[in-house]
């Protein structure tokens, strides 16, 4: 068993930023990441371009230089690898945190898939991309149904239903269409989300208008079978032939980890955790929240560019407490 000042749970950009600030302050820390380095970015579509410009994705004052103003996924992976190497951050990859307990000596006991650690402070920066939001419909668990989209080639010359109206759904629909797929978009609301990237939104709207991409608005997928699906529309149930379903319906943080740690949530369906907006400390003393996890189901609220500051806020508050290990 090892003892640290801080255990950071999550090795995404914000978790790395927290590690950088802890290291700069001379604190003994360790980052635990259950997957690959910046695992969420790794799982983004291969051709994904960020909405943010490269300088807004920077952490640790390390410049992020990209070919264009808005970097691609591979450029971001390269950047965060270089940041890790530059600071020689202490991180354990492929090590999932399973339980957080208070030990008798006022430390936290963190049990992972590979060991047990003790720490005075915990920072939870786990993001949200590992937990897709299900639809709860018949056939959702068939092999042809996917919650993650990587690239269009496997869907070429196939009949593909894409469910969703935000960036992940629209990117998948356009890429699959351009690789020869017959794409049908199913959207619960009357229009494409206003949060779709501004250079992409006109593209999908024009493809829908010319019927290159078919679209059902004010509609929902209600049943999935091996070779077809049912869509509930304003005019009743429509059955269409189908080979693949891409459920781009969003993702949510690991609420179970937060709950097991004793973190409470505001009332309502958004499951926004309690935290101090000046310090990022949760309702559990010495457990802090950073990044996307702070937004609960409002996963669009926090991004890398507007939550990088959480790292400095948290370390500043920890340094203000005199009872270090």
């Amino acid at each position: 068993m090892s003892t640290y000042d801080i255990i950071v749970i999550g090795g995404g950009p914000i978790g790395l930023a927290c590690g950088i600030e802890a290291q700069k302050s001379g604190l003994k820390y360790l980052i635990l990441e259950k997957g690959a380095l910046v695992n969420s970015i790794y799982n983004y579509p291969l051709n994904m371009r960020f909405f943010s410009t490269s300088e807004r994705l920077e952490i640790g004052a390390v410049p992020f230089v990209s070919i264009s103003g808005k970097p691609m996924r591979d450029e971001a992976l390269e950047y965060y690898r270089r940041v890790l190497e530059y600071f020689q951050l202490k991180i354990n990859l492929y090590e999932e945190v399973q339980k957080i307990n208070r030990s008798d000596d006022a430390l936290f006991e963190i049990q992972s898939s590979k060991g047990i650690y003790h720490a005075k402070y915990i920072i939870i920066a786990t993001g949200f991309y590992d937990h897709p939001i299900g639809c709860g419909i018949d056939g959702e668990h068939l092999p042809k149904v996917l919650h993650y989209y990587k690239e269009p080639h496997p869907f070429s010359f196939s009949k593909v239903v894409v469910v969703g109206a935000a960036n992940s759904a629209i990117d998948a629909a356009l890429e699959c269409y351009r690789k020869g797929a017959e794409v049908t978009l199913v959207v619960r609301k009357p229009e494409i989300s206003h949060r779709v990237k501004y250079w992409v939104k006109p593209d999908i709207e024009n493809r829908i208008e010319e019927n290159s991409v078919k679209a059902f608005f004010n509609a929902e997928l209600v049943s999935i079978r091996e070779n077809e699906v049912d869509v509930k529309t304003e005019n009743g149930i429509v059955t269409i032939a189908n080979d693949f379903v891409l459920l781009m319906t969003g993702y949510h943080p690991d609420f179970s980890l937060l709950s097991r740690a004793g973190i409470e949530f505001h009332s309502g369906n958004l499951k926004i955790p309690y935290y101090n907006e000046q310090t990022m400390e949760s309702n559990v003393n010495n457990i802090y929240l950073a990044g996307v996890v702070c937004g609960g189901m409002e996963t669009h609220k926090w991004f890398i560019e507007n939550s990088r500051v959480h790292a400095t806020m948290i370390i500043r508050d920890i340094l203000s407490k005199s009872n270090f290990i």
Side-chain angles (χ1 to χ4, degrees), residues 95-143:
E95 183 168 354
E96 182 176 5
V97 171
Q98 299 169 330
K99 188 180 294 186
I100 299 171
N101 296 315
R102 280 278 194 187
S103 58
D104 293 337
D105 51 5
L107 298 176
F108 291 104
E109 181 181 84
I110 299 96
Q111 297 182 23
S112 79
S113 56
K114 296 183 179 180
I116 297 175
Y117 307 89
H118 286 138
K120 178 65 177 178
Y121 303 96
I122 292 175
I123 302 174
I124 299 177
T126 46
F128 68 99
Y129 202 62
D130 294 324
H131 302 275
I133 298 172
C135 293
I137 60 176
D138 291 340
E140 183 174 352
H141 301 295
L142 287 172

Side-chain angles (χ1 to χ4, degrees), residues 77 132 205 212 259 293 301 314:
L77 292 177
E205 290 174 339
S212 296
S259 296
V293 72
K301 183 176 181 179
I314 291 169

Side-chain angles (χ1 to χ4, degrees), residues 3 32 44 106 116 125 159-160 179 236 246 269 273 280 304 323:
T3 301
L32 298 176
Y44 285 167
I116 297 175
K159 295 177 174 61
V160 180
K179 298 303 180 184
L246 300 179
N269 296 326
M280 308 309 296
I304 299 170
N323 53 340

Side-chain angles (χ1 to χ4, degrees), residues 43-217:
N43 283 305
Y44 285 167
L46 297 183
N47 298 318
M48 196 279 291
R49 183 180 296 277
F50 283 83
F51 188 89
S52 302
T53 54
S54 56
E55 69 271 13
R56 291 183 176 274
L57 302 177
E58 293 173 355
I59 57 174
V62 177
F64 183 175
V65 180
S66 58
I67 295 174
S68 64
K70 298 180 185 298
M72 303 290 288
R73 165 190 174 274
D74 282 354
E75 292 177 302
L77 292 177
E78 179 64 24
Y79 171 74
Y80 292 115
R81 284 196 298 266
R82 292 302 179 97
V83 168
L84 177 66
E85 291 175 340
Y86 177 78
F87 287 102
Q88 296 186 1
L89 295 174
K90 296 174 178 60
I91 184 170
N92 290 359
L93 301 174
Y94 302 101
E95 183 168 354
E96 182 176 5
V97 171
Q98 299 169 330
K99 188 180 294 186
I100 299 171
N101 296 315
R102 280 278 194 187
S103 58
D104 293 337
D105 51 5
L107 298 176
F108 291 104
E109 181 181 84
I110 299 96
Q111 297 182 23
S112 79
S113 56
K114 296 183 179 180
I116 297 175
Y117 307 89
H118 286 138
K120 178 65 177 178
Y121 303 96
I122 292 175
I123 302 174
I124 299 177
T126 46
F128 68 99
Y129 202 62
D130 294 324
H131 302 275
I133 298 172
C135 293
I137 60 176
D138 291 340
E140 183 174 352
H141 301 295
L142 287 172
K144 72 173 190 175
V145 180
L146 304 171
H147 285 279
Y148 294 93
Y149 166 79
K150 204 72 173 176
E151 59 177 324
H153 179 76
F155 311 107
S156 297
F157 313 111
S158 300
K159 295 177 174 61
V160 180
V161 167
V162 179
V163 180
N167 280 296
S168 58
I170 301 311
D171 285 347
L174 287 171
E175 288 190 7
C176 289
Y177 153 69
R178 292 201 163 95
K179 298 303 180 184
E182 182 181 313
V183 177
T184 301
L185 193 62
V186 178
V187 180
R188 281 181 176 269
K189 297 184 177 181
E191 59 185 4
I192 299 299
S193 171
H194 67 278
R195 292 196 295 270
V196 170
K197 290 169 280 195
Y198 65 83
W199 65 90
V200 174
K201 194 167 185 285
D203 188 0
I204 187 62
E205 290 174 339
N206 288 334
R207 301 296 75 76
I208 292 171
E209 184 177 356
E210 69 187 18
N211 205 36
S212 296
V213 172
K214 299 179 178 64
F216 292 102
F217 292 97

